[in-house]
């Protein structure tokens, strides 16, 4: 209970250290795109709540996620239940000012699906902002487990099953291995491969690269 409370203080609380980092990143986004308040944004894998808390809210946000849509959606937003790697034609026919994605690329399911995700990002808007945790930061960010990403699958599954700092420890072996196999952190070479014409921005913690952001403004 004590360790899970520690996770709440570090990551999950709206006043947590991680929440402050997310707000700082939102500030970078607004600085990078000075017209953000006038833009139409496609958010792949995000949530409307992210934009409710943002220091600058776009004129229109279209959220695409595999999660069920919230019961209430503000008039400046729309939400679709869809796979960002296999977007339906009614979305691919549209154009946006900016495609945004935060901590999604590492969960889409392998190299071939990451290629499709990146192709959609580059096709649907001239500008994009795609953030993903950096593989070689010493602490795995989803479980807050030091070095977990470097372990064999069996060991990572054990961590996912029992590590007390996990957001929601898996209730079975099958659930744990699914979480592990659907989480694949990327390095700079990979992100550069998916977004060859983008600037790769590095977010640091204590001088160490913590996450990478592919930006085209």
């Amino acid at each position: 209970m004590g360790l899970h409370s520690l996770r709440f203080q570090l990551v999950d609380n709206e006043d947590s250290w991680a929440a402050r980092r997310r707000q700082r990143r939102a500030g970078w986004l607004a600085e990078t795109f000075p017209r953000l308040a006038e833009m139409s944004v496609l958010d792949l894998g995000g949530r409307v709540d992210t934009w409710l808390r943002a220091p600058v809210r776009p004129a229109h946000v279209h959220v695409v996620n595999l999660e069920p849509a919230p019961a209430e959606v503000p008039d400046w937003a729309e939400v679709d239940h869809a796979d960002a790697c296999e977007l339906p034609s009614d979305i691919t026919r549209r154009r946006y000012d900016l495609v945004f994605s935060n901590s999604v690329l590492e969960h889409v399911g392998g190299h071939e699906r990451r290629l499709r995700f990146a192709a959609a990002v580059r096709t649907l808007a001239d500008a994009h902002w795609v953030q993903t945790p950096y593989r070689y930061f010493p602490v795995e960010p989803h479980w807050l487990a030091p070095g977990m990403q470097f372990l064999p699958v069996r060991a990572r599954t054990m961590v996912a099953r029992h590590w007390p700092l996990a957001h929601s420890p898996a209730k079975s072996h099958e659930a744990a291995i699914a979480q592990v196999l659907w989480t694949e952190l990327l390095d700079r070479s990979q992100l550069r491969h998916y977004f060859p014409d983008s600037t790769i921005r590095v977010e640091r913690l204590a001088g160490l690269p913590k996450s990478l952001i592919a930006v085209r403004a």
Side-chain angles (χ1 to χ4, degrees):
M1 183 68 179
L3 283 177
H4 198 73
S5 176
L6 176 61
R7 179 190 173 93
F8 182 77
Q9 294 301 321
L10 288 174
V11 177
D12 297 332
N13 182 352
E14 287 190 6
D15 296 321
S16 68
W17 166 83
R20 292 193 296 272
R21 299 287 296 190
R22 288 190 291 269
Q23 284 296 101
R24 181 184 176 195
R25 196 181 300 145
W28 290 352
L29 177 70
E31 291 171 6
T32 304
F33 300 98
R35 293 183 51 253
L36 183 61
E38 306 166 19
M39 298 173 82
S40 64
V41 174
L42 175 64
D43 184 342
L44 295 178
R47 296 184 176 97
V48 173
D49 285 352
T50 299
W51 300 101
L52 288 170
R53 297 189 297 266
V56 178
R57 193 184 72 213
H60 184 77
V61 177
H62 186 179
V63 172
V64 174
N65 203 318
L66 289 172
E67 298 178 350
E72 296 184 8
V73 177
D75 58 7
W76 47 266
E78 62 182 301
V79 179
D80 272 313
H81 179 273
D83 184 341
C85 301
E86 297 181 18
L87 291 169
S89 59
D90 61 320
I91 295 177
T92 58
R93 286 196 298 262
R94 296 171 61 171
R95 289 284 293 174
Y96 302 84
D97 297 318
L98 170 69
V99 177
F100 173 91
S101 180
N102 188 71
S103 295
V104 174
L105 187 59
E106 71 273 19
H107 295 300
V108 300
H111 171 63
E112 193 273 336
R113 282 177 54 83
R114 288 194 293 268
L115 284 172
R116 281 191 267 162
F117 181 96
V121 169
R122 298 195 309 269
T123 299
L124 290 168
D126 291 333
H128 58 248
W129 173 284
V130 178
Q131 182 271 353
T132 189
Y134 179 53
R135 174 173 173 75
Y136 294 105
F137 187 71
V139 177
E140 204 292 330
H142 302 90
W143 284 273
L144 300 186
M148 176 184 172
Q149 65 269 41
F150 308 121
L151 298 175
V153 169
R154 180 169 181 165
R156 279 185 280 155
T157 301
M158 291 291 292
V159 173
R161 183 81 172 87
H162 300 292
W163 184 247
L165 289 180
H167 180 268
S168 300
K171 296 182 179 179
S172 69
H173 173 81
E174 287 305 314
I177 197 169
Q179 289 178 354
V180 164
L181 294 178
W182 278 100
T183 305
E184 186 176 356
L185 302 184
L186 281 68
D187 65 16
R188 292 191 215 201
S189 295
Q190 289 170 289
L191 194 63
R192 171 65 66 193
H193 177 72
Y194 299 129
F195 298 98
D197 299 323
S198 307
T199 298
I200 305 301
R201 184 166 187 172
V202 180
E203 180 182 18
R204 296 180 181 274
L205 176 63
L208 299 175
K210 181 184 179 295
S211 69
L212 307 173
I213 308 168
V215 181
R216 188 168 68 188

